[in-house]
Amino acid sequence: MMLTPAHHFRDIERKPEYLQPEKCVPPPYPGPAGAMWFIRDGCGIACAIVTWFLVLYAEFVVLFVMLIPSRDYAYSIVNGILFNLLAFLALASHCRAMLTDPGAVPKGNATKEFIESLQLKPGQVVYKCPKCCSIKPDRAHHCSVCKRCIRKMDHHCPWVNNCVGENNQKYFVLFTMYIALISLHALIMVGFHFLRCFEEDWTNLLQAYGLMRKGGAEAQISLREKRGPLKISSAECSSFSPPTTVILLILLCFEGLLFFIFTSVMFGTQVHSICTDETGIERLKRKHQPREYRGSWKFVQDIFGGTFSLNWFNPFSGPWHPKPLSDGDWVQQAASTSETDNTEMTEERSGDTKDEDSVEVTDE
C-alpha cells in the first residue's frame, strides 16, 4: 500500500530518536512581567528604521513645504494638528507592535519531566517543535526569524521587526490604519497645494528664476517693469525653490500612494482575520477547503480590549489579557490532528513565516 504524506509524517513522528525530549534544555527562569521584547534581526531593524525615516520625511514635507509657508493660518493649524496627531499615533503603534511579546510559547519546555507531568490519556497528543524544543499549544506556529513558537501567529512582518500574534495584533492593526490615514491626508494636502499655488505664486516664482518666458526676453522685462520687483520669500507657497518643491512633493505623492494602498490592504486582511478568527497561516493551510464560519464580535473585543470605546484606537491601552496556559492547553485530541499531519512548513523572509513540522507525542 502506498503511504500518503500523512502516514509518512506519522512514521517519522513516532520514532523515538526524533522526539528526543531528553535533549531539550529546561526553560530559563522567566523574566519580569512586562519585560521588553526585541528581535535582533538585521533585516527587520533596517525595515523599522526605514519606516520611521519615511514618516519623518512626510512630516518634514508637510510642515516645511506646505503648511508653514501657507498664508491661510487656519488651514495650516488644523491640518498640522491632525497630521501630527496621526503620525504620533502611527509611530506609537509601531513601537508597541515591535516591542510587545506577540505570544511566545515558553522555550525549552518539551522536557521529559514536563511531558510526563501532563499525564496524557489515551487519544490525547501533544506537539513538540524540534527547533525551539517547545510544546506547541493549539494554533501556535514556529517563526524562523523570532526563533520561537507564537500563539495565534498571523505572519512575521519585517516592517515592525516582529511576529503578529495574539498579544500585539491590535497594535499592528492600528499601525496600518494610522499609516493609511496619514498617507491619504498627505495626498489630499498635496493636491490642494498644487491647485492653490501653481497658477498664482509659482508662475511668478518661475518667471523670477527665468524658467518661464512670455514672448521672449523683452516681454519679460516689460512685464517686470509693470508689476515691479518680484519677492521670493516664505510668504509664498514654499520657502524652497520651485524645482526643489516639485521634487519633494512628487516624492511625497509616490510614498503616500504606495503606502496608502499597501497598508489599506494589510488593514483589511487583518480585520477580516480577526472577525473570522482565522490567522493568515491557517488560511494558507486551509487553501480552498471549506471552513466552518466561527466569527464573532467577541473575537474583535478580545483583540482590542473590551467593549467598543476610544481605547480601541489608543496604542497605549493593551488588548485582552489571556490567562496563563494550563496543562490542558498543551494537550490536544488525536482526532483533531489530521489537518496538521500533512502540512508542510514554508519560510518567507519578507512578511511571512516558517512554521516547523510539529512533533506528535502519543501515549502508547
Side-chain angles (χ1 to χ4, degrees), residues 257-299:
L257 184 61
L258 178 65
F259 279 92
F260 174 71
I261 296 174
F262 176 72
T263 55
S264 296
V265 172
M266 289 300 299
F267 174 78
T269 57
Q270 288 298 302
V271 172
H272 179 266
S273 296
I274 294 172
C275 294
T276 58
D277 191 34
E278 183 181 34
T279 66
I281 292 179
E282 293 169 347
R283 187 166 55 251
L284 290 175
K285 286 183 176 181
R286 182 173 57 86
K287 296 182 179 178
H288 301 293
Q289 299 176 359
R291 173 181 178 270
E292 180 182 357
Y293 179 78
R294 57 184 178 185
S296 171
W297 181 248
K298 183 180 181 300
F299 298 136

Side-chain angles (χ1 to χ4, degrees), residues 38-47 145-147 156 158 161 349:
F38 184 74
I39 302 300
R40 295 177 178 86
D41 175 60
C43 176
I45 294 173
C47 289
V145 180
C146 298
K147 296 179 175 60
H156 183 93
N161 189 33
R349 176 77 172 180

Side-chain angles (χ1 to χ4, degrees), residues 102-269:
V105 177
K107 191 174 183 179
N109 66 348
T111 60
K112 184 177 180 181
E113 294 76 12
F114 181 75
I115 295 175
E116 291 177 349
S117 69
L118 296 177
Q119 299 180 351
L120 297 178
K121 299 178 182 179
Q124 290 183 336
V125 295
V126 294
Y127 289 92
K128 170 194 166 187
C129 176
K131 291 295 184 180
C132 59
C133 272
S134 299
I135 296 297
K136 297 171 64 173
D138 189 25
R139 305 183 69 182
H141 305 278
H142 184 85
C143 175
S144 62
V145 180
C146 298
K147 296 179 175 60
R148 298 288 293 274
C149 286
I150 308 297
R151 298 192 301 271
K152 289 188 67 175
M153 177 181 171
D154 187 88
H155 69 286
H156 183 93
C157 178
W159 297 106
V160 298
N161 189 33
N162 202 359
C163 279
V164 178
E166 69 176 7
N167 289 349
N168 68 342
Q169 191 172 23
K170 169 187 175 178
Y171 308 129
F172 183 76
V173 171
L174 292 181
F175 168 66
T176 56
M177 182 184 73
Y178 288 128
I179 290 294
L181 289 177
I182 64 173
S183 300
L184 178 62
H185 189 199
L187 289 173
I188 293 174
M189 284 192 292
V190 169
F192 277 112
H193 195 76
F194 272 113
L195 291 176
R196 187 178 69 253
C197 297
F198 184 75
E199 293 184 356
E200 298 179 6
D201 298 323
W202 285 17
T203 300
N204 294 333
L205 287 171
L206 291 172
Q207 289 175 355
Y209 278 94
L211 299 178
M212 286 185 65
R213 297 182 179 275
K214 288 187 176 182
E218 296 181 359
Q220 187 175 10
I221 296 175
S222 175
L223 181 63
R224 290 184 181 182
E225 290 177 352
K226 293 180 180 180
R227 294 187 177 181
L230 291 171
K231 296 181 180 180
I232 306 171
S233 65
S234 61
E236 305 293 342
C237 278
S238 175
S239 56
F240 297 91
S241 64
T244 302
T245 302
V246 170
I247 292 174
L248 292 174
L249 292 178
I250 289 177
L251 290 177
L252 180 62
C253 279
F254 178 76
E255 175 192 344
L257 184 61
L258 178 65
F259 279 92
F260 174 71
I261 296 174
F262 176 72
T263 55
S264 296
V265 172
M266 289 300 299
F267 174 78
T269 57

